[in-house]
Amino acid sequence: MKNDMEHWEDHHREEFEGSALVVARGVEDAPAVNPSFRRVPRRELSTGEYVEGIERGDATILSQAITLVESNNPAHYDQARQIVERTLPFSGRSQRIGITGVPGAGKSTFIEAVGGMVLSEGHRLAVLAVDPSSERSGGSILGDKTRMESLAANPAVFIRPSPSAGELGGVARKSRETIVLCEAAGFDVVFVETVGVGQSETTVHSMVDLMLMLQIAGAGDELQGIKRGIMEMADLVAVTKADGANVDRARLAKTQFVNALSLFPTPESGWRARAYTCSAVTGEGLREVWEGIEEFFAFTRANGFFETNRNSQKRFWMRETIDQALREEFYKRPDIAAMLESFQQQVLEDQLSPFVAARRLLDLYFGGK
Ligand SMILES: Nc1nc2c(ncn2[C@@H]2O[C@H](COP(=O)(O)OP(=O)(O)OP(=O)(O)O)[C@@H](O)[C@H]2O)c(=O)[nH]1
Ligand SMILES: [Mg+2]
């Protein structure tokens, strides 16, 4: 069945074919979304051509390279890996900003509004979405596209929807490598929008320098966020939609956040989280939030946390990838899979301790190598 994104693409594909508009298309190896649509035949690019195109800031080639990195087709793995490796030395020179908040909190609208300000300061802006739930992927970019119209038309902006869902690890790797490619292409401010539900925030947190949490006043979520341990990840909290009849409620919510945040111990960054109100409609408060972001970067660069954090993120992703691959291989091995059930049963019946059962399976695994 077609998702929203595919329907939307059906309608808009012609507009993008050959145009300079940099809204990215879906994965290349996805089934044709419209059987009557004839893909313009394209010569396969060499790795060198990809790398050179990216370094030149060519948005079409960047887009194609990301598609390759996101592809689940093993035939693409090698080239994708080479492209990432060769662009890596040109990456890293950006401010990576995670933006989180419940669905409808106003993330895309905020990015559109602040984006103009960021561009006027001479930056080039990449907007990526990370949405690990399959149901919603595509859905969010539909919102992004319609809510980021003025940004989407700007050649200094690159907008990319979430890679297609799969396990979170896959989405995380793809998004991280997409950041690398965007940076190599000269985008020096990267916004990563993610839905404020569950694991995705933690994932995004481990690939950005700063987390901005958007909140709506009076949704009753304020305390939930605090309880769920999400607030600890926020470097800035902004209560959105502080306009019209909502202004007082937004201010009140902000005060609650200021109080709540003051109770947290100072994090490793040394930066005390700040709270703001803002409105993407009136524009009020947006500049303050952006200045807060810039202050965060100045502060963490000065005290060394910026580097330390990026290094620990690199370490984390290396270890995480090893962990995942080992775990997967373990459970996939036929001899392990065959024994797992019966060992588990014995554990449940107290015939084996969980540790002994695990040890035997591990011995079987390592012995059988
Ligand atoms: N009054 C008012 N409405 C706003 C403001 N910002 C966003 N909205 C509205 O809130 C709704 C949701 O905005 P989005 O920007 O799509 O929210 P989002 O957080 O990106 O939503 P998802 O991507 O679906 O998670 C839209 O109808 C916006 O017009 C604001 O500052 N003031
Ligand atoms: Mg959105």
Side-chain angles (χ1 to χ4, degrees):
M1 227 178 65
K2 288 185 183 182
N3 62 28
D4 288 347
M5 180 62 188
E6 288 162 344
H7 280 296
W8 181 82
E9 278 200 331
D10 281 356
H11 291 291
H12 294 269
R13 194 179 289 278
E14 293 82 0
E15 293 170 23
F16 296 143
E17 224 25 87
S19 95
L21 191 60
V22 291
V23 172
R25 283 188 301 256
V27 271
E28 289 293 283
D29 57 352
V33 289
N34 178 351
S36 61
F37 167 73
R38 220 167 31 82
R39 200 179 286 282
V40 179
R42 196 167 55 207
R43 192 175 58 83
E44 302 244 323
L45 296 179
S46 70
T47 304
E49 285 170 322
Y50 273 117
V51 173
E52 193 267 327
I54 290 167
E55 279 160 27
R56 208 170 5 126
D58 184 319
T60 310
I61 292 184
L62 171 63
S63 209
Q64 290 168 11
I66 294 172
T67 300
L68 216 55
V69 159
E70 290 177 350
S71 169
N72 293 321
N73 179 350
H76 295 150
Y77 291 175
D78 249 2
Q79 197 178 22
R81 230 174 265 165
Q82 284 169 24
I83 295 169
V84 172
E85 248 175 61
R86 287 179 54 179
T87 46
L88 207 49
F90 307 99
S91 71
R93 289 183 293 246
S94 86
Q95 304 184 334
R96 303 170 181 166
I97 300 163
I99 300 191
T100 171
V102 295
K107 300 178 290 295
S108 300
T109 317
F110 175 89
I111 292 171
E112 161 106 37
V114 167
M117 209 181 293
V118 175
L119 292 168
S120 71
E121 290 177 5
H123 293 292
R124 295 182 70 212
L125 174 64
V127 182
L128 316 175
V130 169
D131 185 352
S133 66
S134 53
E135 298 316 313
R136 276 184 51 96
S137 74
S140 55
I141 191 60
L142 184 70
D144 293 346
K145 179 61 189 89
T146 49
R147 294 212 176 97
M148 297 193 203
E149 261 166 17
S150 72
L151 286 186
N154 191 320
V157 180
F158 182 82
I159 300 178
R160 183 80 183 186
S162 180
S164 59
E167 9 81 77
L168 195 57
V171 174
R173 181 198 52 85
K174 292 167 182 178
S175 303
R176 242 187 90 81
E177 294 185 339
T178 296
I179 294 178
V180 165
L181 298 184
C182 287
E183 289 175 347
F187 293 95
D188 61 345
V189 173
V190 180
F191 282 138
V192 185
E193 174 180 339
T194 193
V195 278
V197 283
Q199 188 63 29
S200 65
E201 277 157 320
T202 318
T203 302
V204 168
H205 185 230
S206 58
M207 59 177 85
V208 298
D209 307 311
L210 173 156
M211 286 291 272
L212 166 62
M213 182 173 295
L214 298 186
Q215 291 273 357
I216 344 181
D221 289 336
E222 294 95 335
L223 288 171
Q224 276 178 34
I226 296 166
K227 273 198 213 129
R228 279 164 53 220
I230 300 292
M231 290 287 291
E232 279 93 333
M233 287 192 282
D235 300 298
L236 285 85
V237 176
V239 182
T240 56
K241 310 190 190 187
D243 43 55
N246 211 20
V247 173
D248 288 342
R249 263 194 298 167
R251 291 210 180 115
L252 180 64
K254 176 196 148 177
T255 310
Q256 288 171 342
F257 283 120
V258 170
N259 292 337
L261 291 168
S262 72
L263 299 177
F264 291 156
T266 307
E268 202 194 328
S269 62
W271 171 266
R272 305 242 23 146
R274 299 187 187 167
Y276 300 83
T277 58
C278 67
S279 163
V281 170
T282 65
E284 219 164 303
L286 293 176
R287 180 155 295 281
E288 285 76 6
V289 177
W290 178 245
E291 282 170 3
I293 290 174
E294 297 206 301
E295 261 183 69
F296 174 91
F297 278 101
F299 181 86
T300 54
R301 276 185 199 276
N303 75 3
F305 178 78
F306 179 88
E307 268 309 305
T308 312
N309 185 46
R310 282 210 173 171
N311 285 339
S312 61
Q313 289 178 340
K314 288 177 199 165
R315 257 195 314 267
F316 169 80
W317 286 110
M318 181 180 145
R319 302 285 176 105
E320 181 67 14
T321 307
I322 294 173
D323 289 357
Q324 271 178 18
L326 285 177
R327 208 175 307 135
E328 220 169 275
E329 195 191 294
F330 177 83
Y331 287 110
K332 265 195 198 146
R333 243 207 11 216
D335 53 341
I336 300 292
M339 300 297 289
L340 197 64
E341 232 357 90
S342 80
F343 271 72
Q344 200 162 283
Q345 200 51 43
Q346 293 179 59
V347 167
L348 295 183
E349 288 166 7
D350 287 326
Q351 292 166 7
L352 271 182
S353 94
F355 307 105
V356 171
R359 197 60 251 172
R360 290 205 187 149
L361 284 167
L362 287 166
D363 286 345
L364 177 65
Y365 176 79
F366 288 115
K369 276 288 233 202

